[in-house]
Amino acid sequence: MNVTRATFNEVMVPNYSPAEIVPVRGLGSRIWDSLGHEYIDLAGGIAVTALGHCHPKLVAAISEQAGKLWHVSNVMTNEPALRLAKKLVASTFADRAFFCNSGAEANEAAFKLARRYGNTINPAKHEIISFYNAFHGRTLFTVSVGGQAKYTQGFEPIPAAITHLPFNDLAALKNAVSDRTCAVVLEPVQGEGGILPATQAFIEGARKLCDEHKALLIFDEVQCGMGRSGKLYAYMNYGVTPDVLTSAKGLGGGFPIGAMLATQKAADVLAFGTHGSTYGGNPLACAVAEAVHDLVNDPAVLSGVEARSTLIKNGLNAIGKRYGIFDPARGLGLLIGAPMSAAWKGRSKDVVNAGLRHGVWTLVAGPDVLRLAPSLIIPEADIAEALKRLEAAVAELVSLPEAVGA
Ligand SMILES: Cc1ncc(COP(=O)(O)O)c(C=O)c1O
C-alpha cells in the first residue's frame, strides 16, 4: 500500500502536524526517510531513543522476548517485569515499582497515589502543588497538574485543588504549602517548559517543606531521567530523594513503557484494587527496558553523557555567537536547550525546519528554545557532523530575506 505524508491529512485526527519527511529506517544516531535522505538525529524521538535506533542489544532483547511471551495482563506477573523492578529498586531510592505504558500514565498513577495518601491523613489534605510551564502528560489530570493553560483550555471542568507556582521560587512554595498539601510535583529539569534545571536550593527547600507538612515530593523524570542528565536519574545530581518518581521515554529506549517508583510508605497507599493497567508491565516492554537499564546504568555511558554535553553546548554557543541567533546553551547532560536570542524570539521552529533541510533533526521546547536530546551514546563524529549541518541551516536562515536579526 502506498502511503505518503499527504495520507496523514486524509486519515489521521488533526491533533498533530508532523514534519514533511516520513522516516522509514534508523541506525544509531542516523535515520533515513522514505525518499532515501539521511538525517542525524539530535531529537531522540523527544528524548526517548536513549541508545539510538536499533541498538543490537535492544533488538536482541525484544526479539528474544517476542519469541517467548508477549502478554499475560496483571492477573499474572512475569519474569521481565520482576527483573526490571528489582533492578530499578536496587539502583534508585525506591522500594517499589508500578509499571504502565507512558509518562502520562506514570504521572496519573503518582497523582492518584498522592490524593489517596492525603486522604489517609485527612480528607482535606488533597492539594497538589505544581509549577508554571511544567509538563506532565495529556490525560485530564496530568494536563491539569501541568502548568500550561493552553493544554486544559476547552477541556473544562478540570480536576480541582491544584495550585500552580513559579518554578524555582522557594519563597512562593514556602508561602503556599500547608497541611492541606498532599504533594509537591516538579521536573528536576523542566523539559517542555524550556530546558530549565531546578536550582539546588529549590529542590532542597521543596524536600524540607514536604517533610514539615507531611506532603509527598514527586519528581517527574519522564524526560530528564534514565541517564539523560548524566546520572541514572536527575535527582542524583542534587543529592535529594523524592517519595515518588516517574519515568518513561528513555526507560524503554523507544518501546512504550512507564514506571512509577516509590518508597514503601508511599507505595502502601495503592493497596490491592486501587489502580491498574491491562498492559502495564508487559513482558515485551519490560524485557527492552531491562536491557536499556543495564546499558545506561554504566559509569562509562553516564560519564560519556557529560563529555558529549560539553561538545554540543560548545558547538551551539559558537554558532549562537557567530550568527547572533542563540543565547548560551543550558540544561543538564544531554537535555540541552539553546534559547533563541532577543532578535530571534519565537522562531525556534524555523531552526528545526532549516535543520531538516540540511540533514539534522532537532526539536523545540516552546517557541523560544531549540531543544536537543540525542542518543546518550551518539558518536562524537556524528556530533561534529550534526553541528556542521546545523550551522549550515542557521547560515541559510539568517540569509533569508525575512530574517529578523538581519
Ligand atoms: C516531564 C514529562 N512528563 C510527562 C510527559 C508525558 O509523557 P508521555 O507523552 O509518554 O505520556 C512528558 C512528555 O513529554 C514529559 O516531558
Side-chain angles (χ1 to χ4, degrees), residues 24 31-32 60 76-77 83 138 148 154 169 181 200 207 234 247 254 263 270 272 297 308 325 327 378 387 396-397:
V24 293
I31 57 165
W32 288 264
M76 294 190 186
T77 188
R83 285 199 305 267
R138 296 287 204 141
Q148 301 186 54
D169 187 338
T181 309
Q200 182 71 30
R207 176 71 275 174
S247 186
T263 60
L270 285 190
F272 175 69
N297 195 27
R308 287 165 174 77
I325 193 164
D327 287 341
I378 181 173
L387 288 168
E396 177 196 88
L397 199 58

Side-chain angles (χ1 to χ4, degrees), residues 46-48 101-107 134-139 142 186-193 220-224 246-249 257-258 371:
I46 320 188
V48 167
N101 310 288
S102 67
E105 281 183 52
N107 284 327
F135 186 81
H136 300 301
R138 296 287 204 141
T139 65
T142 56
L186 63 93
E187 297 161 81
V189 183
Q190 280 198 340
E192 302 301 308
D220 177 345
E221 294 221 21
V222 167
Q223 187 156 166
C224 62
T246 54
S247 186
K249 288 193 183 274
I257 181 169
R371 170 173 38 161

Side-chain angles (χ1 to χ4, degrees), residues 172-214:
L173 182 59
K174 203 170 181 171
N175 246 337
V177 76
S178 75
D179 291 345
R180 288 182 56 252
T181 309
C182 65
V184 173
V185 52
L186 63 93
E187 297 161 81
V189 183
Q190 280 198 340
E192 302 301 308
I195 318 298
L196 281 169
T199 62
Q200 182 71 30
F202 185 62
I203 293 257
E204 280 178 11
R207 176 71 275 174
K208 194 162 164 272
L209 288 167
C210 284
D211 290 342
E212 282 167 15
H213 293 275
K214 289 192 168 52

